[in-house]
Amino acid sequence: MKSLRPKTLAKAIQLSLLLSLPVVAAAQDQPAPAAPEQRATTLDTVTVTGSRIKQANLVTAQPVFILDRQKLEKTGVQTVGEVLQQLTASGQALNAKFNSSGNFGYPSDGGGIGAGSAQVDLRNLGSKRVLVLVDGIRWVNESSASGVSGSADVNTIPLAIVERIEVLEDGASAIYGSDAIAGVINIITRRNFEGAEAHAYYGEYEDGGGTTEMSMTLGGGGERFNAVFGASYYEQKSISSGSWEQSSFPTPGTGVRGGSSGTPQGRATFCDPSIADPTQYGFCDPAGEMWFDVTLNNGTTTPSWDPNNPTGGTYHNFSGADRFNFAPYNLLLTPSKRKALFTSLNYDLTDNVRLHAKALYNNRTSTNQAAPEPIFVGPFAGTGGIADTIIVHADNPYNPFGITLDPATNFGWVTRRPVEVGPRIFNQDVDTIYFNLGLDGTLDAGDRTYGWDVNAVHSENKAEQHFFNGYNVAKLKLALGDPAVCALVAGCVPLDLFGGQGRPMTQEMIDYIRTEQIDSSKQTLDLFSANITGDLFNIADRTAGFAAGFEHRKYKGEFNPDPLRQTGESQDSFAAAVSAEYDVDELYAEANFPVLSTLEISAALRYSDYSTFGDATTGKVGFRWQPVEDFVFRGTYSEGFRAPNLGELYGLTQFGATIVDPCGSTGNPGPADPSFAAGCAAQGAPPTFEQANTQITTFTGGNPNLEPEESDSYTFGMVYSPSWAEGMSWSDKLDFELGYYHHEIDGAIQPRDIQALLEACLREGGVGTPSCAPFSRQPSGNLNPPENFLDNLATIETDGVDIKVNWIGPEWSWGRLTAGLQSTYVNDYEAVDIDGNKSQREVGIEVNDGAIPEWQTNVQLGWVMGDWDVSWTTRYISSVDELCSNVPVPEAPGCMGGVEFNTLGSTTYNDLRAGWKDAFTLEGLKLSVGVNNIFGKEPPVCLTCSLNGYDASTYDLPGAFWYVSADYRF
């Protein structure tokens, strides 16, 4: 195994911790100085996310944002994912508004589509760089039957069992290990609960999507025992894209990338070898400029073809106006059901030792839906597989052209979208189980007491996905080939791809080529940890604290695609199986030193030994300076790393990358920029080339030689709690918080930006350079499937500012007012690969269905009087721009007239909620009613976004969402 070289910071921290050991030993025999007047006001110590040392300070060196149960209730949502994705520090992440389950192929990181899951991103660095903990212990990564992911599905933790959520907005690899580059989400479950609580909730959007949630929580115990049990049920119904005008509008081009060339009427691109005149339409020139490119006229029931008059009968030349608007067949909101059971037990074995146990079972069933599967056969399909080699035989009884269409000589493609088969349906069934058994307690040594815990954890996430209404490409090949050969195969009947909607496929044809596909995946995390924390020594009346521990983790991952995917016989996409595992052993130490009466210094060091790549050492230092009572200054500097996960190491898949070909995009033939012309010519693209489809199949996947990502992060901030604003006629409490963050990641694991790489290749001349290695073209000019595998390619750097303000008013006769503000300003985001190509993703730019707004701001206003409370929340997202060069439809609104950008205007959502405690004089009953997005603000139209024409990771669903809830505690 190769060992990573420890960085300078890690070495310095290691030395400082070792030098402190003699002091620690000497200090054990010295009694703490008496200070009874100060001990009387000492706060109970607690563990706050970002440190394992118990401490009394509420404001620590690390920036931590806490969402308690009261704040969670006021959001009006019922899932952990929705709560976290409303944070101003949150970036692009999966949620129920995403409706892709493989119809675009699989992403390059081997993690799969994540259909039905909800993830969390912090600082726009990706969900894989956020560590999710439950009660301080790692949560298993998600599995949605399409890969081996490096991200957790936070909706596997029911909101009903959550006491609070602590969000560490800082890197913490030295404290928690791999993945904690962008921050940590620590979900704290309910523990000291007495009695019973029943909860019921119902909400619905203007266009449907009814959401029901019910839960029951029971808790109690005795002198040495307490337990909590929870059961919950959640159901979210779907919303069809057809219910939104933007998706259902019959003219494609706005928000759906110009539609698809796979149409119900079909399309045929070919030439006729019998035509000898090189100037005649249909002549077989190598570049394909004279080839037929035709589609059936609407209403045609019996196609008729005359090669001498190809557009005089039932055919016309294919154009952008013929493209298919697939959006109405999709879903705006995907349906989901979740059932969960949770229990937490604590039993005092002795006065100093407690047994604790936790268990959770969560089942999720969810569905994604896409437009009917299009059939693409012929080399222009560009799959790199069987479909590219299919021959349409002249004797096929439905072939109207009277000639054999052979990829080797005269065939581009035949496409057709048989809507009579029905939409593609992807059903997921996902089980999550979690068991934690351990001991915790205290240990007395002299006059000091140490806290300790040991935990043994088993957790797994197992998923199965059934895909309906896909096709077997090998059977397509038989059914389109020589009918005499087809007749020798049981069930085979010649296939009609040429009749359009006027002559739909027969049921017999559909039954032969249609196939159900079943994919499955599973992730398992087994963990053992041991931790100890306590006081090291005293400096005057202050105490130095420490924490240390050991952790062993074993990861197993499996992905079993349907056999048709593995052999390339699936029309949907190719994927290879994965079955792998690795383990890691880690040691860490952390200390907090009160250097001065106003200054504390913290340091942490972690050593990790991985079975896959070797060892790594990371460190972190921080300070907390409180020069006066009202001010706290704090800062941290940390090293981080992220070990490559199993999907990144071993996955192999296909992905339908959306590429706007500079040599001639759809509807805009010929190089759009003179700087591309020479490169396009060198690659063999004709001067008037127009790409057949914007989705270019790309082979991508893992790399077993990957090294960990490494990061450097620092934060600096200030917390100001003015005493002059306490107990005043206008204010009871006022807090200001200002923080700066900076993250830099080296060796970021990713494939090259295929769009940027193609453009760089063409500018460099089109052939012979490293940028051009993945690219080649067919004689027609269409790109062959490129290869684009993962590597430690990029440097990612981002920085910004967080602003938080909280105000609590006094008790007036008419109630108490509160106000809160959280705002994040992203100053810069830049990703550059080792070839010098800069990613299009940057601040204020919409690209690849995601954006990094410069500003995101949440403001909460509250009023409480007796049993009544009302809250108003405003969520603001600043405007972003999308590059018109990424829009393949020249006449698309917003990009006409040669403008460079289309602007997605700033968006503001307003949420209103009212609550009534002890309603109808029934003690313990609380009723709530609210409307999120009360003014029905619609998301801005995105011309480059797939599926529904808006950015589902940044904006809310269109229309208002109303809800009611009832809680009864007894």
Side-chain angles (χ1 to χ4, degrees):
M1 294 190 298
K2 182 168 64 176
S3 175
L4 298 179
R5 183 181 62 184
K7 295 184 178 179
T8 304
L9 174 62
K11 289 180 178 178
I13 296 171
Q14 186 176 23
L15 180 61
S16 67
L17 290 173
L18 289 174
L19 290 175
S20 72
L21 291 179
V23 181
V24 174
Q28 299 301 317
D29 297 326
Q30 300 178 8
E37 72 281 1
Q38 294 183 7
R39 285 201 302 269
T41 58
T42 300
L43 298 175
D44 290 337
T45 59
V46 294
T47 301
V48 178
T49 303
S51 172
R52 294 189 183 273
I53 301 173
K54 292 184 181 294
Q55 50 196 296
N57 292 320
L58 297 179
V59 179
T60 62
Q62 299 85 12
V64 180
F65 181 61
I66 298 177
L67 289 159
D68 59 26
R69 192 153 186 87
Q70 186 179 31
K71 291 178 181 177
L72 295 173
E73 290 173 354
K74 289 182 178 181
T75 63
V77 299
Q78 293 296 295
T79 68
V80 173
E82 288 177 281
V83 168
L84 293 174
Q85 290 185 15
Q86 288 185 2
L87 298 176
T88 60
S90 179
Q92 178 181 354
L94 283 176
N95 54 53
K97 296 172 287 183
F98 283 84
N99 183 46
S100 175
S101 287
N103 44 314
F104 294 125
Y106 298 100
S108 55
D109 63 6
I113 305 301
S117 68
Q119 300 171 3
V120 58
D121 176 16
L122 295 175
R123 307 303 189 197
N124 302 290
L125 293 175
S127 58
K128 293 179 295 185
R129 301 184 180 105
V130 177
L131 178 61
V132 175
L133 309 174
V134 174
D135 295 322
I137 294 178
R138 284 175 178 260
W139 197 246
V140 66
N141 287 335
E142 67 94 11
S143 175
S144 57
S146 57
V148 182
S149 175
S151 304
D153 177 6
V154 290
N155 281 350
T156 55
I157 303 109
L159 195 60
I161 72 170
V162 177
E163 182 64 33
R164 67 184 185 275
I165 300 175
E166 298 179 352
V167 182
L168 175 65
E169 300 168 337
D170 184 21
S173 289
I175 309 296
Y176 299 110
S178 177
D179 307 337
I181 287 180
V184 177
I185 304 295
N186 191 6
I187 299 169
I188 310 300
T189 60
R190 303 177 86 168
R191 178 174 168 181
N192 296 319
F193 183 87
E194 296 287 337
E197 182 180 75
H199 171 73
Y201 171 99
Y202 183 80
E204 190 169 319
Y205 289 91
E206 292 178 9
D207 293 320
T211 301
T212 303
E213 199 273 344
M214 295 180 290
S215 65
M216 174 64 76
T217 305
L218 306 172
E223 183 179 351
R224 306 181 69 87
F225 170 85
N226 76 288
V228 177
F229 172 80
S232 66
Y233 173 81
Y234 174 91
E235 180 178 6
Q236 174 184 276
K237 295 185 178 179
S238 66
I239 301 179
S240 169
S241 301
S243 65
W244 190 28
E245 183 179 1
Q246 179 173 314
S247 296
S248 61
F249 193 67
T251 302
T254 302
V256 291
R257 282 195 163 272
S260 169
S261 60
T263 70
Q265 289 298 87
R267 179 181 183 183
T269 304
F270 65 101
C271 64
D272 190 339
S274 67
I275 297 176
D277 184 354
T279 65
Q280 184 178 340
Y281 187 34
F283 177 74
C284 290
D285 60 309
E289 293 186 13
M290 299 303 295
W291 288 27
F292 298 120
D293 188 9
V294 294
T295 184
L296 275 179
N297 299 332
N298 289 332
T300 298
T301 57
T302 305
S304 63
W305 172 255
D306 180 357
N308 298 311
N309 187 17
T311 60
T314 61
Y315 288 89
H316 64 272
N317 289 330
F318 186 89
S319 71
D322 294 301
R323 290 182 173 271
F324 175 72
N325 182 15
F326 48 77
Y329 293 86
N330 292 307
L331 298 175
L332 277 173
L333 184 65
T334 59
S336 181
K337 290 183 182 180
R338 291 193 293 275
K339 293 163 283 187
L341 296 173
F342 171 80
T343 187
S344 174
L345 306 171
N346 295 279
Y347 182 74
D348 294 338
L349 298 175
T350 70
D351 291 341
N352 296 319
V353 179
R354 177 174 57 186
L355 173 71
H356 62 256
K358 292 188 184 75
L360 176 138
Y361 170 75
N362 187 91
N363 172 260
R364 185 246 297 172
T365 56
S366 52
T367 299
N368 294 67
Q369 177 178 304
E373 178 101 78
I375 295 175
F376 288 73
V377 297
F380 286 11
T383 67
I386 298 171
D388 300 358
T389 67
I390 287 178
I391 295 173
V392 181
H393 202 277
D395 292 339
N396 180 295
Y398 307 104
N399 182 351
F401 308 122
I403 58 174
T404 294
L405 305 179
D406 190 335
T409 56
N410 68 329
F411 188 23
W413 64 5
V414 169
T415 72
R416 178 154 183 263
R417 189 183 298 265
V419 294
E420 58 268 34
V421 175
R424 283 167 282 180
I425 303 294
F426 304 83
N427 291 335
Q428 301 93 34
D429 191 338
V430 185
D431 287 326
T432 303
I433 61 171
Y434 173 87
F435 296 103
N436 177 336
L437 183 65
L439 298 171
D440 61 88
T442 58
L443 175 66
D444 294 327
D447 61 344
R448 300 189 185 279
T449 300
Y450 300 92
W452 59 270
D453 66 85
V454 293
N455 291 278
V457 176
H458 173 79
S459 55
E460 63 182 53
N461 186 275
K462 181 171 64 174
E464 189 170 86
Q465 176 171 272
H466 288 241
F467 168 36
F468 300 95
N469 293 336
Y471 307 117
N472 184 320
V473 184
K475 290 185 176 182
L476 286 173
K477 186 170 187 175
L478 277 172
L480 289 169
D482 188 342
V485 176
C486 176
L488 300 175
V489 178
C492 182
V493 293
L495 181 63
D496 182 6
L497 285 188
F498 308 97
Q501 289 183 290
R503 191 177 68 194
M505 292 180 182
T506 66
Q507 191 61 48
E508 192 178 17
M509 296 175 187
I510 294 171
D511 290 343
Y512 179 65
I513 63 171
R514 182 168 59 181
T515 182
E516 177 186 350
Q517 298 172 47
I518 302 175
D519 308 313
S520 65
S521 61
K522 180 179 179 181
Q523 294 224 58
T524 301
L525 172 60
D526 289 297
L527 177 154
F528 174 81
S529 68
N531 304 281
I532 186 169
T533 182
D535 299 339
L536 285 171
F537 52 85
N538 290 85
I539 300 178
D541 62 338
R542 308 182 73 210
T543 302
F546 85 101
F550 166 79
E551 185 167 285
H552 171 80
R553 301 191 301 275
K554 185 169 186 177
Y555 296 87
K556 292 182 180 180
E558 300 174 10
F559 173 41
N560 295 298
D562 190 274
L564 294 181
R565 292 192 191 276
Q566 298 186 49
T567 60
E569 295 178 66
S570 170
Q571 171 77 12
D572 192 57
S573 55
F574 166 83
V578 174
S579 180
E581 62 183 60
Y582 71 88
D583 57 72
V584 55
D585 292 306
E586 295 184 310
L587 293 169
Y588 79 91
E590 180 187 2
N592 187 32
F593 303 100
V595 179
L596 303 172
S597 62
T598 60
L599 177 65
E600 294 180 359
I601 301 294
S602 59
L605 189 72
R606 193 177 194 94
Y607 172 79
S608 305
D609 185 11
Y610 279 76
S611 63
T612 47
F613 64 82
D615 56 3
T617 304
T618 53
K620 181 172 185 174
V621 293
F623 75 91
R624 180 187 184 276
W625 180 42
Q626 191 170 4
V628 296
E629 184 178 354
D630 294 356
F631 273 101
V632 174
F633 294 93
R634 65 189 181 190
T636 62
Y637 176 69
S638 59
E639 298 169 339
F641 81 103
R642 186 180 74 84
N645 60 62
L646 292 170
E648 291 171 323
L649 290 168
Y650 305 115
L652 177 61
T653 58
Q654 280 182 341
F655 180 64
T658 300
I659 299 176
V660 178
D661 194 337
C663 294
S665 59
T666 303
N668 190 23
D673 187 319
S675 64
F676 299 132
C680 293
Q683 287 187 354
T688 58
F689 168 71
E690 179 180 347
Q691 71 180 124
N693 210 344
T694 56
Q695 280 188 30
I696 306 299
T697 298
T698 303
F699 285 93
T700 186
N703 178 355
N705 297 316
L706 288 173
E707 296 289 340
E709 300 176 345
E710 299 183 38
S711 69
D712 293 284
S713 304
Y714 56 87
T715 66
F716 180 79
M718 174 200 78
V719 178
Y720 177 43
S721 301
S723 56
W724 51 261
E726 296 180 5
M728 304 297 289
S729 61
W730 59 274
S731 173
D732 198 45
K733 181 71 172 174
L734 180 63
D735 297 304
F736 298 93
E737 183 177 336
L738 179 67
Y740 172 80
Y741 69 89
H742 181 277
H743 298 280
E744 183 175 352
I745 302 172
D746 293 322
I749 298 170
Q750 65 180 55
R752 287 174 165 84
D753 184 321
I754 199 71
Q755 179 76 51
L757 194 65
L758 176 59
E759 293 178 6
C761 165
L762 294 172
R763 287 193 178 98
E764 294 166 0
V767 293
T769 68
S771 298
C772 295
F775 302 108
S776 63
R777 293 182 184 265
Q778 301 170 16
S780 63
N782 286 301
L783 287 165
N784 289 313
E787 292 185 350
N788 192 23
F789 292 97
L790 295 173
D791 212 331
N792 295 96
L793 290 176
T795 297
I796 302 173
E797 190 169 1
T798 185
D799 73 308
V801 174
D802 291 319
I803 304 168
K804 297 183 177 73
V805 181
N806 287 287
W807 171 75
I808 301 174
E811 284 277 8
W812 285 297
S813 60
W814 42 269
R816 183 194 292 269
L817 296 179
T818 60
L821 176 145
Q822 306 87 42
S823 187
T824 297
Y825 167 74
V826 185
N827 177 60
D828 187 37
Y829 179 96
E830 183 178 81
V832 181
D833 68 19
I834 58 175
D835 302 315
N837 296 317
K838 183 178 177 181
S839 171
Q840 291 182 351
R841 191 170 191 238
E842 57 185 76
V843 179
I845 295 297
E846 172 73 45
V847 64
N848 295 331
D849 288 65
I852 304 177
E854 187 176 40
W855 283 97
Q856 292 192 86
T857 301
N858 294 342
V859 177
Q860 303 90 19
L861 301 175
W863 170 80
V864 180
M865 183 177 179
D867 293 334
W868 293 89
D869 70 277
V870 177
S871 60
W872 183 284
T873 301
T874 297
R875 296 175 284 127
Y876 170 79
I877 303 167
S878 62
S879 64
V880 297
D881 295 328
E882 58 182 336
L883 291 163
C884 286
S885 59
N886 289 342
V887 181
V889 184
E891 69 276 10
C895 282
M896 299 176 69
V899 298
E900 184 178 1
F901 294 103
N902 174 53
T903 298
L904 284 65
S906 60
T907 303
T908 302
Y909 299 109
N910 290 278
D911 308 331
L912 175 64
R913 174 193 172 276
W916 182 19
K917 292 192 300 182
D918 297 334
F920 303 110
T921 69
L922 181 58
E923 184 177 355
L925 176 64
K926 183 175 182 179
L927 302 178
S928 301
V929 61
V931 182
N932 287 354
N933 190 16
I934 191 170
F935 299 122
K937 179 71 175 179
E938 294 203 345
V941 173
C942 173
L943 303 176
T944 60
C945 291
S946 57
L947 296 181
N948 291 309
Y950 88 104
D951 177 356
S953 68
T954 304
Y955 304 99
D956 285 9
L957 284 168
F961 176 81
W962 64 266
Y963 62 90
V964 294
S965 69
D967 296 88
Y968 183 45
R969 186 161 183 173
F970 54 96

